[in-house]
């Protein structure tokens, strides 16, 4: 009888314990669900990425010490007011070099500055709390947030015997987050094939043909892509070093989780860039445009701007830029290059240091306003020679514009054919005080100051 009573008490205790455990699990699941719902609700009303201007919100070797997310947080309101519609962040997860890493040597995709590994708890940029606070602040200010995704290679694994090489490799990954453990089979060479399209810096090269890798990166409910989107709050993706794997990887990721996507396919060949955007079904940085601008402004020959670029071939897939964290070769009259990309087709990117430190912020803000309010419709190049470049945007639900870039040392004037007949126009940069009236045949004389530009539209 006592045994029966004792067993009954045990069963009651176990039942209560299991109920409490289930309640705790339900609470944790509800908390995560509420967090996901709250994050998505905060993103309601954001404009589609690409309607404004992207800010690359970092540069190589930003100050270490874990304060970068706070720095960005202090600027998102001003950026939004200036016309920025999205910010591109550096890789946010813990990497091999811990507090010193820029994130391009990823170790634990689920450690955002909360686990004591790789020599630190925080990343170079800060803690998980600071990251999510900054992202929420960006959303509240109408800015989308783009994650830098490094999935070609990993770094920081321990040494293990590798049956595919016959020796030891640094492919044993045991992250403290407890998510996405990796071993030799998940890298090249393995049981599927010896390599894919490219390796980077001798790092272990992930094999995207492995189902396990696909599941953890973009397919499972708790994968990297869905966790970054639903829990951390990212709205889009910048894919690093996409030459290292086939374009179907990016396509599958994008089809699974959505969001704006752009790949770093570092190649100046327009046909190659156009092929990749078609195969991946996403945008690409317009390196063809970048190198033509370098040749034009560094070589003092604006006629080069007549050459082909991705934005001319497929404007909806072109992300244009003047500088990024890897390359900064356009140093002569860099503002002229910004006048070019911010008046032409494509989705333009402004580099953090150009905006915050190196160039005239007032002039950049003016060009961003011009891009968002006047630069619509197809593009017609009206004139290009060594020193002068004139083009017009033909307008779409708006008047369009004429941009005049002058790389000479003196004022220049030129008759051009505009979109407007018998219409008063003005220079929206304020560089010229002229307010001419176009002729009935749409022709008008405009001017541009030395080593500068003007942008004309209906008054």
């Amino acid at each position: 009888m006592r045994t029966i009573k004792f067993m009954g008490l045990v069963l009651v205790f176990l039942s209560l314990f299991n109920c409490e455990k289930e309640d705790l699990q339900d609470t944790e699941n509800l908390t995560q669900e509420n967090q996901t719902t709250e994050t998505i609700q905060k993103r309601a009303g954001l404009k589609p990425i690409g309607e404004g201007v992207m800010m690359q919100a970092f540069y190589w070797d930003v100050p270490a010490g874990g304060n970068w997310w706070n720095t960005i947080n202090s600027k998102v309101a001003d950026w939004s007011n200036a016309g920025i519609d999205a910010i591109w962040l550096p890789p946010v997860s813990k990497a091999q070099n811990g507090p010193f890493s820029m994130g391009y040597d990823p170790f634990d995709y689920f450690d955002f500055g909360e686990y004591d590994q790789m020599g630190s708890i925080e990343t170079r940029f800060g803690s998980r709390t600071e990251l999510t606070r900054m992202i929420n602040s960006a959303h509240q200010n109408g800015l989308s947030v783009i994650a830098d995704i490094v999935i070609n290679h990993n770094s920081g694994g321990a040494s293990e015997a590798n049956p595919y090489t016959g020796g030891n490799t640094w492919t044993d990954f045991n992250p403290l987050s407890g998510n996405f453990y990796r071993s030799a089979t998940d890298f090249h060479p393995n049981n599927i094939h010896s390599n894919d399209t490219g390796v980077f810096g001798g790092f272990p090269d992930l094999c995207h043909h492995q189902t396990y890798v696909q599941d953890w990166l973009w397919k499972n409910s708790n994968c990297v892509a869905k966790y970054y989107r639903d829990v951390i709050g990212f709205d889009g993706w910048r894919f690093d070093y996409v030459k290292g794997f086939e374009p179907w990887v990016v396509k599958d990721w994008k089809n699974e989780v959505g969001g704006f996507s752009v790949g770093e396919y570092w190649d100046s060949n327009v046909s190659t860039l156009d092929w990749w955007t078609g195969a991946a079904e996403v945008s690409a940085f317009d390196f063809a445009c970048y190198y033509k601008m370098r040749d034009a402004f560094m070589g003092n020959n604006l006629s080069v701007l007549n050459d082909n670029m991705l934005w001319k071939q497929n404007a909806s897939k072109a992300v244009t830029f003047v500088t990024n964290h890897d390359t900064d070769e356009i140093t002569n009259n860099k503002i002229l290059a910004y006048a070019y990309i911010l008046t032409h087709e494509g989705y333009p990117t402004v580099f953090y240091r150009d905006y915050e430190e190196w160039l005239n912020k007032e002039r950049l803000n003016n060009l961003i306003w011009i891009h968002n309010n006047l630069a619509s419709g197809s593009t017609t190049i009206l004139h290009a020679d060594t020193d002068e470049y004139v083009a017009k945007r033909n307008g779409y639900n708006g008047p369009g514009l004429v941009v005049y870039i002058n790389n000479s040392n003196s004022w220049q004037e030129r008759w051009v054919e505009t979109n407007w007949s018998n219409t008063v126009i003005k220079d929206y940069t304020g560089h010229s005080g002229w307010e001419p009236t176009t002729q009935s045949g749409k022709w008008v004389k405009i001017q541009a100051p030395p080593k500068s530009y003007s942008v004309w539209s209906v008054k």
Side-chain angles (χ1 to χ4, degrees):
M1 190 68 173
R2 289 179 180 174
T3 302
I4 293 174
K5 287 183 177 179
F6 174 75
M7 290 301 295
L9 289 171
V10 170
L11 290 173
V12 171
F13 173 77
L14 289 174
S15 175
L16 289 171
F17 175 78
N18 286 333
C19 287
E20 289 179 358
K21 184 177 180 182
E22 289 172 2
D23 289 343
L24 179 60
Q25 289 174 338
D26 289 342
T27 301
E28 290 174 346
N29 292 336
L30 184 61
T31 299
Q32 181 169 327
E33 182 180 345
N34 287 342
Q35 182 182 4
T36 299
T37 303
E38 183 182 5
T39 302
I40 292 172
Q41 287 174 343
K42 285 181 179 178
R43 284 183 272 175
L46 291 178
K47 294 180 180 179
I49 298 175
E51 291 190 358
V53 176
M54 182 198 304
M55 172 68 72
Q56 181 177 354
F58 67 99
Y59 54 92
W60 197 257
D61 284 346
V62 300
N67 200 47
W68 191 248
W69 299 144
N70 294 331
T71 298
I72 298 304
N73 196 21
S74 70
K75 298 181 182 296
V76 292
D78 288 341
W79 291 349
S80 177
N81 290 335
I84 301 297
D85 72 343
I87 58 174
W88 157 26
L89 302 184
V92 297
S93 63
K94 188 69 62 66
Q96 179 183 10
N97 285 322
F100 308 107
S101 177
M102 285 297 297
Y104 291 94
D105 50 341
F107 172 75
D108 187 344
Y109 286 100
F110 294 86
D111 179 1
F112 307 95
E114 58 201 296
Y115 297 99
D116 190 356
Q117 57 184 343
M118 297 294 130
S120 68
I121 296 177
E122 292 190 346
T123 67
R124 183 189 191 101
F125 313 113
S127 68
R128 174 184 175 134
T129 299
E130 292 164 342
L131 170 65
T132 54
R133 183 188 300 127
M134 179 268 292
I135 290 176
N136 287 336
S137 179
H139 288 155
Q140 290 162 7
N141 282 279
L143 297 177
S144 297
V145 185
I146 297 172
D148 202 317
I149 297 298
V150 185
I151 56 173
N152 175 74
H153 52 275
N154 290 170
S155 187
S159 179
E160 65 176 343
N162 190 326
Y164 309 105
T165 65
N168 277 41
T169 53
W170 303 95
T171 49
D172 183 18
F173 285 78
N174 295 280
L176 285 181
S177 69
N179 295 314
F180 198 13
Y181 293 104
R182 282 145 282 163
S183 64
T185 304
D186 304 313
F187 299 91
H188 296 109
N190 56 26
N191 58 309
I192 295 180
H193 51 196
S194 61
N195 63 277
D196 55 7
T197 61
V199 296
F200 183 83
F203 293 123
D205 186 44
L206 274 173
C207 177
H208 303 94
H209 287 270
Q210 292 287 15
T211 301
Y212 175 82
V213 173
Q214 295 178 21
D215 288 345
W216 268 111
L217 286 179
W218 70 85
K219 286 188 174 180
N220 282 352
S221 60
N222 60 338
C223 67
V224 171
K226 293 172 185 175
Y227 196 89
Y228 280 43
R229 179 193 65 187
D230 298 334
V231 179
I232 303 301
F234 282 106
D235 309 290
W237 321 100
R238 180 266 184 188
F239 291 91
D240 181 66
Y241 190 61
V242 296
K243 279 189 172 183
F245 46 90
E246 295 90 344
W248 66 261
V249 174
V250 174
K251 179 181 176 181
D252 278 13
W253 178 301
K254 180 263 303 182
N255 288 342
E256 183 71 31
V257 299
F260 172 84
S261 301
V262 57
E264 182 211 27
Y265 199 97
W266 197 324
D267 200 301
S268 63
N269 187 287
V270 178
S271 297
T272 302
L273 291 172
D274 193 37
W275 159 80
W276 188 86
T277 61
E281 297 182 354
V282 302
S283 298
F285 286 102
D286 195 346
F287 279 93
C289 176
Y290 171 78
Y291 284 113
K292 292 304 177 185
M293 289 193 299
R294 182 199 64 181
D295 294 345
F297 296 112
M298 296 303 293
N300 294 312
N301 183 8
L302 301 192
S303 65
V304 175
L305 298 177
N306 268 323
D307 294 349
N308 201 11
M309 307 170 193
L310 182 60
W311 74 257
K312 296 182 181 182
Q313 196 149 317
N314 192 351
S316 66
K317 298 298 185 184
V319 177
T320 54
F321 65 99
V322 175
T323 308
N324 65 27
H325 61 292
D326 286 325
T327 183
D328 182 21
E329 300 175 277
I330 303 173
T331 55
N332 288 347
N333 298 306
K334 185 184 283 187
I335 193 69
L336 302 188
Y338 275 108
Y340 181 83
I341 69 168
L342 288 164
T343 55
H344 285 64
E345 292 171 76
Y347 180 34
T349 306
V350 174
F351 184 57
Y352 179 93
R353 298 197 83 169
D354 285 339
Y355 186 84
E356 293 290 344
E357 300 176 15
W358 292 342
L359 300 182
N360 185 307
K361 185 181 292 187
E362 183 179 349
R363 294 182 73 180
L364 283 172
N365 281 342
N366 171 250
L367 286 170
I368 292 169
W369 184 92
I370 286 170
H371 173 270
N372 292 350
N373 291 276
L374 301 176
S376 64
S378 60
T379 304
T380 303
I381 298 176
L382 302 176
H383 178 82
D385 62 25
T386 301
D387 293 327
E388 298 172 68
Y389 174 87
V390 187
K392 70 176 178 177
R393 296 293 298 275
N394 295 304
Y396 178 78
N397 293 331
L401 59 79
V402 175
V403 56
Y404 190 171
I405 299 175
N406 174 17
N407 199 37
S408 75
N409 293 316
S410 58
W411 279 84
Q412 297 294 333
E413 300 175 1
R414 186 164 294 278
W415 283 90
V416 295
E417 185 178 15
T418 71
N419 300 318
W420 320 290
S421 295
N422 303 315
T423 303
V424 177
I425 64 172
K426 74 170 191 174
D427 172 23
Y428 275 83
T429 70
H431 295 157
S432 171
W434 284 7
E435 292 189 359
T437 300
T438 62
Q439 298 178 347
S440 58
K442 301 182 179 180
W443 285 82
V444 71
K445 181 189 282 188
I446 57 175
Q447 64 175 187
K451 299 296 183 182
S452 190
Y453 54 88
S454 54
V455 180
W456 304 82
S457 190
V458 175
K459 183 178 178 182

